[in-house]
Amino acid sequence: MRIVLGEGSCGIAAGAGKLRNALEALITEQDSFTLGSTGCIGMCFLEPIVDLYEGRMLKRRLVRVSPDDAPAILEAVRTGDLSLVDSITISAEDEEFLTKQTRIALRHCGLIDPTSLDDYRESDGYQALKKVLTSMTPEEVIEEIKISGLAGRGGAGFPTWFKWNAARQSAGENKYLICNADEGDPGAFMDRAVIESDPHSLIEGMLIGAYAIGASEMIVYVRAEYPLAIVHLEEAIRQAKEANLLGEHILGTDFSCDMRIKAGAGAFVCGEETALIESLEGKRGMPRLKPPFPAQRGYMDEPSNINNVETFANVAWILNNGGAAFAAMGTENSKGTKVFALTGKIRKGGLVEIPMGKTLRDVIYGIGGGIRGDKKFKAVQMGGPSGGCIPQSLLDTVIDYKALAATGAIMGSGGMVVMDEDTCMVGMAKFFLDFTALESCGKCVHCRIGTKRMQEILTRIVEGEGKDGDIELLEELCTAVKDGALCGLGQTAPNPVLTTIRYFRDEYEAHIYDKKCPTKECPALRAYSIDADKCRGCTLCARNCPAKAISGEVKKPHTIDPALCIRCDQCRSACRFDAIIIE
């Protein structure tokens, strides 16, 4: 039997390292089982996860495992009595998180050892590459991708075959294939999980793309904040070189191609392909004017093709199973599957891969289990800072590029941040404008100045200083920035503002005209008082008030002086009798 521990970033953050130490400390030389490792299977809400295998068959999946569970796990494995771990075995309801998905890009994640080439090969790894190099022309590869309908999964949804074909047809002494792994959206971690959990699928997909466009060098631009992903990819590259899967005359053919990694410094704008190229060349990451497009003059002024991690992770599956099989999933406008990072006020957060055509309700309630704490669903932010907030009334929106765009949001790279009834939508818009204003490269006036002015107006509104005309001014600024910005960052930065005004205008009006935050999330618009009937005079609130705004005798109701109160919320946090009233 094998014990396999989930050691992706989410597992490690939940305590997988301590769990491994506890297991290793109890394993003896007489034990015949092995302790292995795998990446993130996507069920982040259940980490740490331990899988028990008999051969290649999964016998038990153990969830929310702690170091204290190590003795019971080892005893169950040694005796074969798996009832000893019933208390930490995954429930049938939680298993549905996976069984309701269709996994292609994530097909190996959490199932193989990401540091083992043998594991990847046993799962049909590099079979697609062998097929391509021995029996297909580059044009036939591009045609198969065209049949599949695969569109770029980085956000724009541009047809992959078209970009590949444009790069192939461009004249150049050297051509480059670049992977955009600069995943910068708040709440998004799809690309990180793929590289950490299945790095060889990225290498294989990129090799097929390089063969198709005629590239001899591949570059993975990955954010430096993903150290585990970089370590696993470096090991996978080393293994691939040793196995003649990278380098000269791959698999004994005339095709030669190498790969290297570039760690980016975390600038959100470098997710835009021309800014990424500038950064690769050692310059400040700022977008270029287009045309020329990267397929014509990209990295080092040579024809270059850029796709993101998820796009490449689909390629080997498509070549193994046929483009038509991929196209059979999804909708008329959006083919195949899409990976989402489901986060926020959701019961079951993690990675979800579903066929295009499912609805937001299918994902949030059918897979994610609904809203944490049984609260009401309010909105979901799609597409990160470049996306928009979709309200409860549109919960049955179909997930495809066209349908999401009609709501004012975008598919984006796959961030899906769920908000409940306690979320202030004006504050949410400000959060994303804080981000985009900070991340603007400053090259064009509309983005550099426009996002800053929008940020200032939103800040004024949430601080209770909004005034008549602010909503209209925001809308005017949004239009100007969208129309005038140079790159996608600026052109989409207004989306969170426009969608929250469109669907939650009443909250803006309450902030501006009533000086009230309906959700009571904005500190400046709160008024604190104490319920005399509930207050026991324990003095905890007074002792925790940094402004000394609370007074009263022991065992008698206390009061808050509104002139001194700084609305820090310390009194509410300290009170054990629910006596603090917020209005």
Side-chain angles (χ1 to χ4, degrees):
M1 187 171 282
R2 289 185 297 130
I3 302 174
V4 180
L5 178 58
E7 294 183 286
S9 288
C10 52
I12 293 171
K18 293 179 180 178
L19 178 57
R20 172 172 283 277
N21 292 339
L23 290 167
E24 288 178 340
L26 296 174
I27 294 175
T28 67
E29 293 182 359
Q30 287 73 39
D31 287 320
S32 58
F33 53 83
T34 59
L35 177 60
S37 179
T38 189
C40 173
I41 199 165
M43 297 189 290
C44 305
F45 68 104
L46 295 176
E47 294 286 0
I49 296 174
V50 173
D51 289 337
L52 304 181
Y53 282 90
E54 191 75 64
R56 294 182 63 86
M57 181 177 292
L58 176 64
K59 304 298 288 187
R60 282 294 178 98
R61 173 159 289 145
L62 314 179
V63 298
R64 298 192 180 99
V65 185
S66 77
D68 293 338
D69 297 316
I73 294 171
L74 295 180
E75 185 64 18
V77 173
R78 286 166 182 152
T79 63
D81 182 5
L82 298 185
S83 66
L84 295 172
V85 290
D86 280 349
S87 63
I88 52 174
T89 297
I90 189 171
S91 68
E93 180 185 350
D94 284 340
E95 277 186 333
E96 291 182 351
F97 183 87
L98 282 184
T99 57
K100 289 183 176 181
Q101 299 186 36
T102 301
R103 293 197 153 202
I104 294 178
L106 302 179
R107 60 193 178 277
H108 299 139
C109 294
L111 301 178
I112 65 172
D113 182 346
T115 63
S116 171
L117 175 58
D118 290 340
D119 264 21
Y120 182 69
R121 279 182 150 168
E122 287 176 11
S123 302
D124 295 327
Y126 290 108
Q127 290 301 307
L129 177 65
K130 182 179 179 181
K131 173 184 176 181
V132 164
L133 297 186
T134 59
S135 63
M136 298 180 73
T137 65
E139 290 76 16
E140 287 173 333
V141 172
I142 292 173
E143 180 62 23
E144 201 65 45
I145 296 298
K146 182 178 181 179
I147 291 170
S148 74
L150 177 65
R153 296 302 195 239
F158 201 76
T160 301
W161 77 269
F162 190 93
K163 293 179 73 172
W164 287 15
N165 193 53
R168 175 158 190 83
Q169 292 182 349
S170 294
E173 185 176 344
N174 298 298
K175 294 183 180 180
Y176 297 91
L177 186 74
I178 302 168
C179 174
N180 182 351
D182 190 56
E183 187 174 49
D185 289 2
F189 50 95
M190 302 76 60
D191 292 351
R192 185 202 74 205
V194 171
I195 301 176
E196 286 181 358
S197 307
D198 191 17
H200 282 288
S201 72
L202 173 60
I203 296 174
E204 184 174 16
M206 290 187 71
L207 281 168
I208 293 170
Y211 174 75
I213 72 170
S216 58
E217 184 175 353
M218 305 182 298
I219 308 168
V220 179
Y221 187 98
V222 59
R223 55 197 305 109
E225 294 93 332
Y226 287 175
L228 185 61
I230 292 173
V231 168
H232 285 184
L233 185 56
E234 286 175 338
E235 175 61 15
I237 290 172
R238 184 192 65 79
Q239 293 171 349
K241 288 181 178 179
E242 287 184 355
N244 188 221
L245 296 164
L246 278 174
E248 298 296 321
H249 302 291
I250 294 173
L251 296 178
T253 67
D254 293 333
F255 177 58
S256 299
C257 192
D258 213 341
M259 173 182 276
R260 62 183 172 92
I261 299 171
K262 164 68 176 178
F268 180 66
V269 72
C270 287
E272 197 278 335
E273 59 182 9
T274 60
L276 184 154
I277 290 171
E278 289 283 293
S279 179
L280 273 179
E281 293 178 350
K283 305 169 189 174
R284 183 179 178 185
M286 301 176 79
R288 298 175 178 175
L289 285 170
K290 294 185 286 189
F293 295 96
Q296 301 162 317
R297 288 175 55 194
Y299 179 60
M300 306 304 290
D301 275 340
E302 298 283 3
S304 306
N305 186 91
I306 303 178
N307 292 110
N308 85 322
V309 175
E310 185 186 341
T311 307
F312 286 121
N314 284 295
V315 170
W317 189 96
I318 291 171
L319 271 296
N320 276 329
N321 296 274
F326 190 83
M329 295 177 280
T331 67
E332 181 180 353
N333 301 306
S334 305
K335 304 297 185 183
T337 62
K338 180 72 188 79
V339 180
F340 293 97
L342 188 59
T343 60
K345 304 294 183 67
I346 191 80
R347 286 182 185 273
K348 303 175 183 179
L351 290 175
V352 174
E353 185 172 2
I354 47 108
M356 300 277 199
K358 295 286 187 179
T359 66
L360 292 172
R361 187 185 301 274
D362 291 334
V363 175
I364 294 169
Y365 283 92
I367 297 176
I371 310 305
R372 192 188 310 151
D374 291 326
K375 295 198 172 183
K376 293 181 181 178
F377 170 83
K378 188 170 188 177
V380 59
Q381 172 77 8
M382 296 284 294
S386 304
C389 295
I390 302 175
Q392 192 276 337
S393 59
L394 298 178
L395 194 54
D396 291 309
T397 298
V398 170
I399 296 173
D400 73 6
Y401 290 100
K402 187 176 181 180
L404 289 177
T407 70
I410 61 173
M411 183 84 70
S413 60
M416 191 180 284
V417 182
V418 177
M419 291 162 270
D420 66 14
E421 58 191 298
D422 295 331
T423 304
C424 173
M425 302 310 296
V426 184
M428 182 58 63
K430 178 184 176 297
F431 170 81
F432 284 111
L433 256 294
D434 286 345
F435 182 87
T436 48
L438 180 67
E439 293 292 339
S440 173
C441 76
K443 186 171 184 176
C444 64
V445 173
H446 287 80
C447 181
R448 181 179 72 245
I449 304 299
T451 56
K452 185 64 177 176
R453 296 291 86 84
M454 286 191 286
Q455 179 195 27
E456 290 170 352
I457 295 169
L458 289 167
T459 299
R460 195 171 69 237
I461 292 172
V462 300
E463 290 181 352
E465 298 176 4
K467 55 188 179 182
D468 189 29
D470 275 349
I471 298 175
E472 292 73 22
L473 180 55
L474 278 172
E475 291 175 321
E476 183 180 345
L477 281 168
C478 286
T479 301
V481 173
K482 284 178 76 74
D483 292 344
L486 174 63
C487 80
L489 186 151
Q491 292 161 8
T492 58
N495 285 347
V497 181
L498 287 172
T499 53
T500 50
I501 291 175
R502 177 178 176 182
Y503 299 118
F504 302 97
R505 192 183 188 95
D506 58 325
E507 289 198 24
Y508 280 84
E509 292 172 345
H511 281 71
I512 294 169
Y513 301 115
D514 302 331
K515 306 303 179 187
K516 296 285 186 181
C517 173
T519 63
K520 302 173 184 177
E521 263 202 341
C522 298
L525 297 177
R526 294 173 182 163
Y528 284 80
S529 60
I530 296 177
D531 187 333
D533 293 330
K534 291 183 179 180
C535 180
R536 298 292 182 268
C538 70
T539 75
L540 269 177
C541 59
R543 281 181 280 157
N544 281 275
C545 178
K548 307 300 180 185
I550 302 176
S551 59
E553 298 179 24
V554 176
K555 296 186 179 180
K556 290 185 178 180
H558 284 44
T559 58
I560 299 176
D561 184 345
L564 296 177
C565 178
I566 59 174
R567 298 172 289 277
C568 65
D569 207 43
Q570 291 297 313
C571 56
R572 185 192 60 79
S573 300
C575 183
R576 296 177 296 182
F577 304 103
D578 196 28
I580 305 298
I581 300 172
I582 305 175
E583 295 178 317

